[in-house]
Amino acid sequence: MEHLILRDLDISDIDRIEVYEKHGGYSAFRKAVKEMAPDQVTDAVKVSGLRGRGGAGFPAGVKWSFLPKGVFPRYLVANADESEPGTFKDRQIMERNPHQFIEGMAIASYAIQCHHAFIYIRGEFPHAAQCLERAIAQAEARGYLGEKILGTDYALRITVHRGAGAYICGEETALLESMEGKLGQPRVKPPFPAVVGLYNKPTVINNVETLANVPLIIERGADWYAKIGTAKSTGPKIFCLSGHVNRPGNYEAPFGSISLRDLIFDLGGGIRGGKKLKAILPAGASSFVINPAANEAVLDAKLDFESLTPFGSALGSASVIVMDDATCMVWMAKKTSHFFEHESCGKCTPCREGTYWMARLLDRIDSGAGTLADIDLLANVANQILGKTLCPLGDFSTAPVTSSVKAFREEYERHVKERGCWARK
Amino acid sequence: MPQVTIDNKKVEVPNGTLIVEAAKKVGVEIPVFCYHPKLQPVGMCRMCLVEVGTPKRGKDGQIELDANGAPAIAWMPKLQTACTTVVSDGMTVRTDTAQVADARRAIVEFLLTSHPLDCPICDKGGECPLQNLTMAYGPGQSRFPVESKFHNAKRVPLGDLIMLDRERCIQCSRCVRFQDEIADDHVLGFAARGRGLEIVTLSDPPFDSKFSGNTIDICPVGALTSRDFRLSARVWEVRDYPSVCAHCSVGCNILIGERDHAIKRIVPRENASVNEIWTCDKGRFVHHFTVAPDRLTTPLVRKNGNLEPATWNEALDLVASRFKEIKWHDPNAIGGLAGDRASNEDLYLFQKLFRQVIGSNNLDHRVGWSVTNTGADSVRVYGAGVGTNLGALDQNVTALVFGADPEEEQPVIRLRLKRSARTFGANLIVANGRVTKLAKYAKQSLVYQYGAEAYFLLGLIRAILDERLENRDFIATRVQNFDAFATSLEPYTVERCAEICHVKPEKIRDAARQIAQSPNFLILYGREAMFAQQNDVAVARALAALLLITGHLGRANNGLVALYPHNNSTGAIDFGVLPDGGVGRTRVERRGLSAREMLGRSNERPSMRALYVMACDPAADGNFVKPEFLVVQDLFLTETARLADVVLPAQSFAERDGTFTNTERRAQLFRAALKPIGEAKPDWWIIAEIAKRLVSGLQFQVSGSQVSGNLKPETWNYATASAVMDEIAATVSLYKGMTYAALAENVKLPRPRSGQGNPSEQPTEIAMGELENISSGKVWASVAESDARAKFELVWSEPSRPLTADSRPLTLAVARSLYDGGTLVSKTQIVQARVPAPFVEINSQDAEQLGIADGARVRVSFDMRVIELDARVDGHVPPDAVLIPNNLDGTAALPMGARVKIEKV
């Protein structure tokens, strides 16, 4: 099947602008600025049903239409701070098919009448940043960016802004703080970025993959696009498959077209080393862990934004981390807790103190020094964080903990009884 | 106004009110750590989580009703922070549910997991919000093992005055927000992240702000402590006494915290009209002089050339007999100098002694600085209307801040004016011969040439008249001599004035328009303007004219505010410690000699045979020649006291009651907090004792003839300072009714701490603004507002400098440094690092011409004097001006406006 986003898999050298142009590149942007009014572009994206690929799945066109009328300048910021463990889809787009993303940014900028757009890219992606800067320079040379674009009065600059290494800066308001040169800490919402965003101006923040979908909608039509995927989750989606599988990598498929079983055993070639599937984190470290043994049906649910909800989990950014039966779930929870403890910005109490506390508890249980009461305490501390934090990071940190205690409680108890980790014995 | 229901109590509050504030109105306490009513909410600590619901609306937009016919509530799925959520009409809030209690318990438990719990050795213990809220809402037991605690540095000097304990810090950011939002000194910030998130100072020198001490008060834990008070007392052993700061003329309301007859600490006391809940670091830390070991403890009398301890009777009898003897020959051979740090009671009796008993008008308080009669009289007539709040001027007020540097001289005024400009939109026009810190809040910052102040003001007046913007009705009914004034102004076109004062004509015109067209207009003038007035009476006349032609006087937010240097400069003028000004700003018929005339020059014979010097140190300025008989009354053996024949030990403001009148003419009461040092007595008592002795002798001398009322000894019997004020309140019209009882209205102590007073009361927190915007003290009314029919005369004075735009040699501008080299500051060791070394500021152009680099040692010569200083080359002074603070080591008594020569050493 033809790739719509990961086109680099079909067309080599599509990162070169002339190759991209030869395959229809920038014709969508040309159509938008020359033939469409900005509101028409936004309406097309609304009709297409395009939902944000960063994890929350908020409709992109609706987000664009939240900007208060008549307040300028306004900004578009592409969130390229791809930091969720197990997520590497934006990186492939930016390194190998950057123009589709740049074109999407240009169309989105035109739709919201932004004249200076930014890409906030994580500092650990220096190569991707260079690819983008090269692509932007090529687009400027071809007149797609700059002043008087394609003979119109529209002007647009795109600036690549490198982050300095903080997971929290993927949270949109912390991202804005970081862009403004401040400590990366989330802001209180409301006001939302659409009203008070970058430099206190109306701002749209979209994920890289989301923006890479936009040229398809303009070029081939919103109706065409809406037919891909399911009624509520339209379009193609990139699934990041990692962990104990034979063929990890990015796999593009329409929403609702493949199941976890398809992804892991068909596309991914099954579990590595002939071992058995034990657990799945479908949305990176921020997941509720799935125990397929408890309910096999979860493996056959066709993946979209809502299909995992009945199984107590969620798709998020579709960063599917697969674990085999040699993997300890306490160790897994310890790893995610250490990650969130390290990445908590420290601004609000429950997250700052709670992630620290959970990490200590998991250290204790994992090392064999824990008690049965510690297991309940761990779940209790997690629930004490839940729902009380300033931004979603605190809630995310509890998901693998509470879900693993619930789904794999006997493994926690085994650590207490055997005074240590069975997997490392 | 939206109506909100909080725990079943309904309340209407203004639009934009936060839930936490609305709850206070119905007596519901929502616990907070990061929230502070003076700071922007951040929602960080999560302590204030509550259940919030809004009316449920159907598809048609109509509010749905429940089974009881009441509006159905759509509850938000998560708890919301009451400190960031703005109320909306129909909102329902629940704070008394199990869910909310669980959340509070969770947050307190989380905070305590990393808290060191070293309350037994923590300064905050006893007035600590974390302690209080743990008691009220926290879990009774810890589930967190002590060995898992996060450890961090416990003794981090954040600056010269503040110590940070990083383990106690709960990352609420109140200190950071205070520095950013209130002080506007961006010197604190967070570094790192997660559990390692910590407060750091971003400035060099560290914590470089004059307001750092306020962060101690608002810190909700013991993370920020005073390096002065630290570990020296438990707060429940400290007794608080309401007082008034004795440094600058703002008159910040303070609480003196006393234990063991010494000041342990000073914290601000709320007064919404004066200092809100803030004070500067000088006011907070410079109090050690009160118990300095070198305080005078007994009277001293010169015997065989040496000052020897003496009894009060011995010393007072000697003073009385010598005064009597000299008075017998010539009352005008006795002069009095009283510092403007003394209280109203002291100053009133001082002049009463001279005018009514000795019979001399040789009286002055202007030692080391100057106020002109014209300037003082302008305040009496045009003083800013009662009700003017310098911290709450709004967009309907234009304020011209002229020749002032509040950051160094009245620091809290800088905060207040910043608040007016930034929060309420007041239109500040800041004009000075240099760029001061206040300039950044000004809509217009104008830098004029020092010495050309009169031209700047005349330019403004002329621009108003040119555009016919004067208040013609007011002029027609209330102002005399307008036509003659206008005629005299003829040659002073805006362009000519602009050329001389170096401010562009369009800027003068723009400022003039704003002044004339603003509904309200205030002038605040500072010490540099007072120097200018001293050199040129036209400056004072022009300031008055600016108010008169626009009719901006006689009501709140209009008129004149004189930003005087000292805590009671206003009182010294009010009570006539002037050669030509009497009590209540009246005029005396027969002018006496001024300080300058009494002191004479070093090469002259002193003009006085006897001098009575109270609370000032004229010899420190040099050129002092001892008169035949010298009496000095002070806290310390000053330069002048060393030369005296009799030295009388006075009590500091902390040992006695009294009143000071601040820069906005507000009389404020301060109370004794310490027991007297040694045998020191209040100044008013000493004066009265001298007077009684003089009067009894005089009665004897004039026996048989008529004795006037004031010559009866019983008229000098004052049991207390309050009795002196009773006499003032009864006889001085400006201070009518200002008894201690009246001045004590709204003077409230914060709620008592545990161990003090009623233990059932909640323990107090400092500086939460919990007293709800109270104001205390009384402001006397100027003529313009007390007499609605008063007529005012425009008086023309030619500027002393001719109407030419000459190129001048370097002109000396004299400023002041908040932390000075004076006696009081020198007794507080902890602030010594904040006292700058003497320096001269030079413009970079001039410095380049003279070949002087930043930091170079230079020789400055003027008026036959030469001093050596370090040069600071920066952009704050304009070309042709050099600036020297005159209160640092070796820089006393500098002549403003003198021509100077600078050369490299």
Side-chain angles (χ1 to χ4, degrees), chain B residues 559-575:
Chain B
L560 207 55
V561 177
L563 298 175
Y564 290 125
H566 295 140
N567 55 322
N568 206 23
S569 305
T570 305
I573 303 165
D574 290 350
F575 293 104

Side-chain angles (χ1 to χ4, degrees), chain B residues 715-727:
Chain B
T715 66
W716 285 89
N717 279 338
Y718 302 101
T720 59
S722 173
V724 182
M725 201 63 185
D726 287 344
E727 182 174 314

Side-chain angles (χ1 to χ4, degrees), chain B residues 130-185:
Chain B
L130 183 58
Q131 278 186 333
N132 298 343
L133 298 186
T134 298
M135 292 302 291
Y137 305 105
Q141 216 176 347
S142 173
R143 301 188 292 173
F144 190 83
V146 69
E147 64 272 14
S148 293
K149 280 215 181 266
F150 181 85
H151 290 292
N152 209 335
K154 287 193 70 66
R155 277 170 298 277
V156 181
L158 205 54
D160 295 309
L161 308 172
I162 309 293
M163 190 71 89
L164 167 64
D165 185 321
R166 290 202 166 118
E167 284 196 345
R168 292 180 190 154
C169 177
I170 60 167
Q171 288 84 15
C172 73
S173 86
R174 277 189 185 176
C175 55
V176 178
R177 282 177 287 148
F178 170 82
Q179 287 302 136
D180 288 351
E181 297 168 18
I182 307 285
D184 202 15
D185 294 326

Side-chain angles (χ1 to χ4, degrees), chain B residues 47 122 152 227-228 262 299 312 350 375 438 636 693 731 734 858:
Chain B
M47 187 63 195
C122 177
N152 209 335
R227 292 181 72 180
D228 188 40
W312 271 106
F350 193 79
L438 195 68
F636 295 99
R693 282 169 171 76
T731 58
L734 294 181
V858 295

Side-chain angles (χ1 to χ4, degrees), chain B residues 293-542:
Chain B
D294 54 345
R295 276 279 303 272
L296 295 168
T297 54
T298 65
L300 303 173
V301 170
R302 191 167 295 280
K303 289 172 188 162
N304 304 321
N306 296 322
L307 284 171
E308 306 273 352
T311 66
W312 271 106
N313 271 332
E314 193 185 345
L316 292 168
D317 288 347
L318 177 60
V319 172
S321 66
R322 294 288 281 135
F323 277 1
K324 205 179 299 175
E325 176 201 325
I326 295 167
K327 170 185 159 56
W328 183 255
H329 292 287
D330 179 8
N332 290 316
I334 305 177
L337 298 172
D340 50 359
R341 296 194 173 282
S343 81
N344 286 329
E345 295 77 4
D346 310 332
L347 295 163
Y348 168 76
L349 290 189
F350 193 79
Q351 69 78 37
K352 183 177 168 184
L353 170 74
F354 271 83
R355 296 231 161 83
Q356 298 186 4
V357 178
I358 295 173
S360 164
N361 279 325
N362 300 332
L363 270 175
D364 213 339
H365 67 279
R366 297 166 299 181
V367 178
W369 74 284
S370 186
V371 56
T372 63
N373 299 328
T374 321
D377 205 47
S378 291
V379 172
R380 178 182 69 89
V381 179
Y382 314 116
V386 178
T388 304
N389 184 338
L390 297 180
L393 310 174
D394 63 13
Q395 71 276 8
N396 294 317
V397 184
T398 293
L400 170 65
V401 186
F402 176 61
D405 186 7
E407 171 72 3
E408 297 288 344
E409 300 209 34
Q410 300 88 8
V412 167
I413 296 262
R414 202 269 286 165
L415 295 195
R416 307 276 291 149
L417 290 174
K418 177 213 155 250
R419 181 176 186 249
S420 285
R422 288 276 168 89
T423 308
F424 301 112
N427 179 24
L428 294 191
I429 302 172
V430 173
N432 201 343
R434 61 194 165 109
V435 177
T436 61
K437 195 153 181 175
L438 195 68
K440 68 189 279 201
Y441 315 114
K443 295 234 172 79
Q444 276 198 71
S445 169
L446 307 171
V447 177
Y448 52 70
Q449 170 100 338
Y450 278 121
E453 288 87 350
Y455 289 93
F456 169 67
L457 296 171
L458 290 177
L460 288 175
I461 294 168
R462 178 61 183 262
I464 291 170
L465 297 182
D466 280 354
E467 299 190 20
R468 305 282 287 148
L469 295 173
E470 70 274 18
N471 185 336
R472 265 160 272 164
D473 290 345
F474 186 83
I475 291 168
T477 53
R478 306 284 296 277
V479 178
Q480 297 169 339
N481 202 31
F482 175 75
D483 293 336
F485 185 92
T487 309
S488 308
L489 195 62
E490 277 295 309
Y492 296 84
T493 64
V494 174
E495 274 67 24
R496 283 301 281 148
C497 291
E499 197 183 342
I500 296 165
C501 74
H502 292 189
V503 180
K504 291 199 172 75
E506 59 272 20
K507 286 196 169 180
I508 292 180
R509 287 209 170 86
D510 188 25
R513 266 176 228 126
Q514 291 175 38
I515 288 168
Q517 292 170 344
S518 176
N520 300 285
F521 173 56
L522 271 176
I523 299 175
L524 296 95
Y525 69 102
R527 229 169 43 95
E528 283 164 85
M530 289 173 200
F531 271 125
Q533 288 188 358
Q534 185 191 333
N535 290 344
D536 189 351
V537 70
V539 174
R541 304 259 195 249

Side-chain angles (χ1 to χ4, degrees), chain A residues 68 83 116 152 155 209 239 245 297 319 327 347 351 384 390-391 398 412 422:
Chain A
S83 311
H116 194 169
T152 68
E209 186 188 351
F239 297 89
V245 290
S319 324
T327 314
K347 184 171 180 176
C351 178
Q384 223 167 261
L390 183 73
C391 84
T398 69
Y412 281 87
W422 60 269

Side-chain angles (χ1 to χ4, degrees), chain A residues 234-351:
Chain A
T234 62
K237 176 75 190 107
I238 303 173
F239 297 89
C240 310
L241 183 65
S242 65
H244 302 144
V245 290
N246 280 312
R247 285 197 298 274
N250 285 320
Y251 294 97
E252 181 184 320
F255 273 117
S257 68
I258 59 168
S259 64
L260 281 170
R261 194 187 300 279
D262 300 336
L263 186 64
I264 296 167
F265 293 98
D266 184 8
L267 298 171
I271 305 299
R272 213 171 51 175
K275 293 204 175 84
K276 288 206 175 80
L277 170 66
K278 177 173 182 180
I280 304 163
L281 291 168
S286 307
S287 311
F288 294 94
V289 66
I290 292 170
N291 179 4
N295 184 356
E296 286 256 353
V298 70
L299 292 177
D300 296 308
K302 298 289 184 191
L303 296 170
D304 64 23
F305 278 116
E306 283 81 22
S307 60
L308 291 177
T309 314
F311 302 96
S313 197
L315 184 66
S317 55
S319 324
V320 180
I321 302 175
V322 178
M323 287 164 281
D324 65 22
D325 55 359
T327 314
C328 170
M329 287 301 107
V330 175
W331 173 86
M332 181 278 293
K334 188 180 92 164
K335 294 297 277 184
T336 61
S337 284
H338 276 265
F339 171 75
F340 287 111
E341 179 206 7
H342 182 66
E343 296 297 348
S344 167
C345 80
K347 184 171 180 176
C348 76
T349 307
C351 178

